[in-house]
């Protein structure tokens, strides 16, 4: 599944590109994610997601490659559920370009996921991606407005706070259910009217 997103950050391209080199600072901006280890351009981490009452945790690893001249970076990620058979892998490419508001970041994600989240269709996954990327962009903008201090993965990584995919997917689920629900409601009303007419005719 391919997902495309675009957002802007309030910083010059050179400054934004410098920040994107510091995974220790950028990773905590991603909702539901925690960076466990960081060794040059390779890392390990965890992601926790929640769909209604069901909670899933993933543990995985990744590597980053960069093209400084083009200001593009690629993340190759893979992981698996800590308590389940589900797997997830993704190739994420980010391109930074100048924008009147600062820097525009174009993100393309090629996602392959198995297990319970695979039950959602493209529409719901796109909605979820939009919400998560929106939160990431807000946190990144807040980070860039603060002091520019290099960081690394903490010695004792915290437990990630689950990002609620159920809440993000709910509007799409309601849209998908609107037509069947309307048809069911119409059927209930029709049955009620027929029943009342039959009782009145007796």
């Amino acid at each position: 599944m391919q997902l495309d997103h675009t957002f802007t950050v309030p910083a010059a391209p050179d400054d934004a590109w410098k920040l994107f080199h510091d995974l220790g600072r950028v990773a905590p901006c991603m909702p539901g994610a925690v960076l466990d280890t960081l060794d040059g351009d390779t890392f390990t981490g965890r992601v926790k997601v929640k769909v209604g009452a069901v909670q899933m945790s993933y543990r995985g690893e990744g590597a980053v490659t960069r093209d400084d001249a083009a200001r593009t970076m690629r993340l190759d990620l893979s992981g698996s559920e800590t308590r389940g058979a589900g797997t997830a892998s993704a190739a994420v490419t980010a391109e930074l370009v100048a924008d009147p508001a600062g820097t525009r970041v174009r993100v393309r994600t090629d996602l392959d996921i198995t297990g319970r989240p695979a039950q959602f269709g493209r529409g719901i996954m796109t909605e979820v991606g939009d919400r998560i990327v929106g939160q990431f962009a807000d946190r990144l903008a807040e980070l860039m407005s603060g002091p520019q201090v290099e960081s690394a993965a903490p010695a004792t990584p915290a437990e990630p706070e689950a990002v609620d995919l159920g809440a993000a997917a709910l509007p799409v689920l309601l849209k998908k259910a609107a037509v069947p629900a309307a048809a069911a409601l119409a059927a209930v009303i029709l049955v009620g009217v027929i029943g009342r007419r039959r009782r009145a005719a007796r």
Side-chain angles (χ1 to χ4, degrees):
M1 180 182 298
Q2 183 175 293
L3 304 173
D4 293 287
H5 296 93
T6 301
F7 62 91
T8 58
V9 291
D14 286 343
D15 293 333
W17 182 240
K18 181 179 179 180
L19 176 62
F20 270 68
H21 276 68
D22 191 350
L23 292 179
R25 298 185 68 205
V26 173
C29 295
M30 182 60 67
V34 163
L35 191 66
D36 288 326
T37 64
L38 178 60
D39 183 10
D41 289 333
T42 61
F43 56 91
T44 63
R46 287 165 291 147
V47 175
K48 183 178 290 186
V49 298
K50 182 170 64 173
V51 182
V54 179
Q55 188 165 280
M56 294 162 285
S57 296
Y58 292 84
R59 185 180 297 275
E61 59 187 12
V64 58
T65 55
R66 302 180 181 86
D67 183 338
D68 290 319
R71 292 200 191 98
T72 61
M73 64 184 297
R74 175 187 169 99
L75 291 168
D76 290 293
L77 311 169
S78 62
S80 58
E81 283 189 77
T82 57
R83 296 182 179 179
T87 62
S89 62
V92 183
T93 303
E95 178 187 16
L96 281 64
V97 297
D99 185 89
T103 301
R104 184 166 66 255
V105 184
R106 299 169 179 157
V107 181
R108 170 162 291 182
T109 304
D110 290 305
L111 177 66
D112 185 13
I113 191 165
T114 66
R116 287 167 287 183
Q119 298 174 17
F120 294 112
R122 179 180 175 81
I124 294 178
M125 293 301 293
T126 299
E127 176 74 9
V128 169
D130 290 345
R131 302 264 180 127
I132 292 177
V133 170
Q135 293 180 32
F136 173 73
D138 290 342
R139 294 179 182 182
L140 195 62
E142 183 178 350
L143 175 65
M144 300 193 77
S145 65
Q148 304 297 304
V149 179
E150 291 188 1
S151 63
T156 306
E159 184 68 16
E161 181 179 350
V163 57
D164 193 346
L165 300 189
L170 184 59
V172 178
L173 291 173
L174 291 176
K175 290 178 183 177
K176 286 179 173 292
V179 173
L185 179 60
V188 170
I189 294 173
L190 180 60
V191 170
V193 170
I194 292 174
R196 286 196 299 271
R197 287 181 178 177
R198 286 180 176 176
R199 288 193 296 272
R202 290 175 182 175

